[in-house]
Amino acid sequence: MRGFLCKPGRIGRRFARGAVPLVAGVLAVLPACRFLSPTRTIALADLEAAPAQRPTGARHVVVSDAQGLRALCKPLGPRLGLIEVRSAEQWRALEDAAPQIGACPDLRRGTVVGIVAWVGTPLNGGWPVEFDAVQVHEGGGLLKAKFKGGTYLPDGTARLETGYVPGLHAVLVVDVNGTPFYVGRAD
């Protein structure tokens, strides 16, 4: 007995002959792809040690069509989301959702960040979410924010705070009331 229960058919042999060069070619190219976009690591300790700053031009915006913001957001749970605007196209999408946002800052030198709260209208008249500080290290950022609990009228509106952070390429961590959310990579 030879060890084979079935012998390979013509199609199987043709595939096997063609697959070997294909697999060898893919394996040869994969290491080169790594050099095209090297991965950079930023330690959380480096972010925490960076000087704290507040986003400039901070704005509070009430958004009546809150669903328009969902496509721009990285979720931070069911009621909060992070917005990062790095391009004119993203800015136009933000303007469509929140027309009262104002003028676009220089996105070549930084990023517009936003925290959106899908909570409705606060009954105490306060603002549910606000920036505390941003710490930037080598383009990566740690955004610290505060969420204020309370009673909200579930009217479908959202509250958005935005601000511009020079030198920021990507928010990597969002800290809300001491709870970290690891949200991104600095690509």
Side-chain angles (χ1 to χ4, degrees):
M1 194 170 222
R2 296 184 138 200
F4 290 103
L5 296 176
C6 303
K7 68 179 188 176
R10 284 186 170 172
I11 295 174
R13 283 189 291 237
R14 284 184 192 156
F15 176 75
R17 276 188 248 140
V20 171
L22 176 68
V23 171
V26 168
L27 290 176
V29 171
L30 281 178
C33 292
R34 182 172 182 174
F35 294 113
L36 294 176
S37 61
T39 302
R40 185 174 51 156
T41 302
I42 298 175
L44 181 58
D46 292 336
L47 289 173
E48 291 171 336
Q53 59 182 326
R54 292 204 33 95
T56 60
R59 290 203 162 107
H60 289 169
V61 180
V62 177
V63 181
S64 57
D65 180 16
Q67 291 305 316
L69 291 176
R70 294 229 185 244
L72 294 171
C73 286
K74 292 180 182 175
L76 303 175
R79 296 187 297 168
L80 296 175
L82 169 69
I83 294 176
E84 295 178 271
V85 177
R86 295 185 204 97
S87 69
E89 179 183 331
Q90 291 172 327
W91 182 261
R92 283 190 295 278
L94 181 60
E95 274 184 320
D96 288 346
Q100 66 276 34
I101 197 70
C104 182
D106 185 0
L107 297 175
R108 294 171 297 172
R109 302 188 192 286
T111 300
V112 173
V113 294
I115 298 286
V116 61
W118 289 281
V119 293
T121 302
L123 295 181
N124 68 359
W127 200 259
V129 65
E130 67 181 35
F131 297 129
D132 191 24
V134 179
Q135 294 167 272
V136 179
H137 178 75
E138 295 183 7
L142 166 61
L143 175 63
K144 293 183 179 180
K146 293 179 183 169
F147 176 76
K148 299 173 189 162
T151 305
Y152 296 91
L153 180 64
D155 58 6
T157 61
R159 300 299 187 265
L160 170 66
E161 180 169 6
T162 63
Y164 176 73
V165 183
L168 178 67
H169 178 69
V171 175
L172 304 177
V173 181
V174 178
D175 182 304
V176 180
N177 296 350
T179 302
F181 296 88
Y182 299 93
V183 294
R185 306 175 10 168
D187 292 331

